[in-house]
Amino acid sequence: MIATRLRSALLALSVTAGLTGTAVSAEAASVTALSCRGVGIDPAAQIHHRTEKLIKAPAAAVWKLHTDVAGWPAWQPAVTSAKRLDPGPLRPGSRFRWTTPVPPTPTTPATTLVITSTVEQRQPGRCVRWTGPAIGDGLRIDRGVHVWTFTPVRGGVLVRTEESWTGEQIEADPATAVRYLALGLDAWLADLKTTAEAR
């Protein structure tokens, strides 16, 4: 139960749309930023993180699972609700709202973030990029930017993700923000891998 709550909290911070900080991880600093249709995270953001995972499942199945936003709560314990705000396939201009609990940190209270994301770029089966604010009681991320890429490889698909966050409140403690972002992105990828490989 505690592990699930911690994962939920960590994912909540990462799903918001991006954490980028002055304290950039060595991994993120040494690699070219991810992009979808030539656009990546906010290059001026102080808080960001990048990670990747090989998923041993068909690329099309992983893409479908990941882009079925309304289905996220079924396989991600950290996503407590997710709703499309428009009909049809996920495409540029599509909007969705989702929620995730966040634990207290030294500078923010425990809360539930309400994240409203807008798809900015998408290339079917290859990449998606969305942006948006995350707002909770006592915690606000003004703008998150989240990029996902899906590269078919022998035996599966290499999923890479990079996220940045901007906002005065989170920029006051970038080390904590980056730590939670990294843990949240890792949890999201782990859940995606577990679910996709079990199907």
Side-chain angles (χ1 to χ4, degrees), residues 74-162:
W75 57 270
Q76 290 190 77
V79 177
T80 52
S81 70
K83 179 182 178 182
R84 287 287 308 276
L85 300 179
D86 44 48
L90 205 63
R91 63 192 179 281
S94 292
R95 298 175 68 236
F96 53 97
R97 184 168 295 130
W98 48 294
T99 58
T100 185
V102 179
T105 73
T107 56
T108 61
T111 188
T112 294
L113 285 175
V114 178
I115 304 148
T116 304
S117 300
T118 301
V119 175
E120 305 289 350
Q121 285 78 29
R122 174 183 173 271
Q123 184 176 356
R126 303 298 291 192
C127 67
V128 63
R129 176 181 175 270
W130 60 71
T131 65
I135 302 168
D137 291 334
L139 176 60
R140 178 183 178 94
I141 298 170
D142 293 342
R143 184 170 187 258
V145 181
H146 205 163
V147 179
W148 292 84
T149 65
F150 302 79
T151 306
V153 295
R154 181 176 298 205
V157 59
L158 181 61
V159 180
R160 294 184 173 108
T161 185
E162 187 167 23

Side-chain angles (χ1 to χ4, degrees), residues 17-48:
L19 245 145
T20 313
T22 311
V24 180
S25 69
E27 172 187 339
S30 65
V31 184
T32 304
L34 293 181
S35 68
C36 185
R37 297 202 172 269
V39 186
I41 62 169
D42 182 345
Q46 290 185 27
I47 301 154
H48 64 89

